[in-house]
Amino acid sequence: MADPTPIITADEALAHLRVDAGTDDALVALYTSAAVQSASNYMNRRVYATADDMAAAVLAGTAGDDPIIADDAIRAAILLILGKLYSNREDVVTGTGRTVQLLPDGSRYLLQPYRVGMGV
């Protein structure tokens, strides 16, 4: 079976992060994979780039319950997660003085409609 189509390509990730190829490539790849996994975990669904990739996973029995093809909202959420991971390598951002704020998680709002099986 061929490798599945990436949901976010390396070129898309680099463009989103405004990073040149060859700069932090391994880190960008790691964070891109983590961002896709994070979105998938949040939605409690496996995410696929194309219908063919999802169909192959269904036939192989690896698609899980309620697989989904990434639409623009899901892809945008993954890019937001990627940007957050790359730009803010800590759980909190310290502002001036003694202000500490948790980072906003706008991706949650994009992914919320796609969540399944999460209970009440």
Side-chain angles (χ1 to χ4, degrees):
M1 181 168 90
D3 287 337
T5 307
I7 296 167
I8 302 295
T9 66
D11 288 342
E12 290 169 325
L14 292 171
H16 179 74
L17 298 173
R18 296 181 184 108
V19 174
D20 293 328
T23 305
D24 290 339
D25 286 354
L27 186 62
V28 170
L30 172 72
Y31 285 167
T32 301
S33 178
V36 171
Q37 184 177 345
S38 177
S40 179
N41 290 346
Y42 182 79
M43 293 184 297
N44 199 31
R45 304 171 93 164
R46 297 237 169 108
V47 183
Y48 298 92
T50 68
D52 289 342
D53 291 340
M54 188 170 77
V58 168
L59 286 175
T62 60
D65 296 333
D66 297 311
I68 190 169
I69 298 168
D71 64 9
D72 288 343
I74 293 170
R75 290 172 37 80
I78 291 168
L79 288 170
L80 286 173
I81 296 166
L82 170 62
K84 178 181 174 182
L85 290 171
Y86 187 80
S87 296
N88 305 292
R89 298 174 190 190
E90 302 294 334
D91 283 339
V92 295
V93 174
T94 304
T96 58
R98 296 181 185 262
T99 305
V100 175
Q101 295 179 330
L102 292 175
L103 296 170
D105 199 5
S107 58
R108 188 170 23 113
Y109 299 107
L110 291 168
L111 297 172
Q112 183 66 34
Y114 301 102
R115 290 184 84 183
V116 296
M118 304 307 282
V120 185

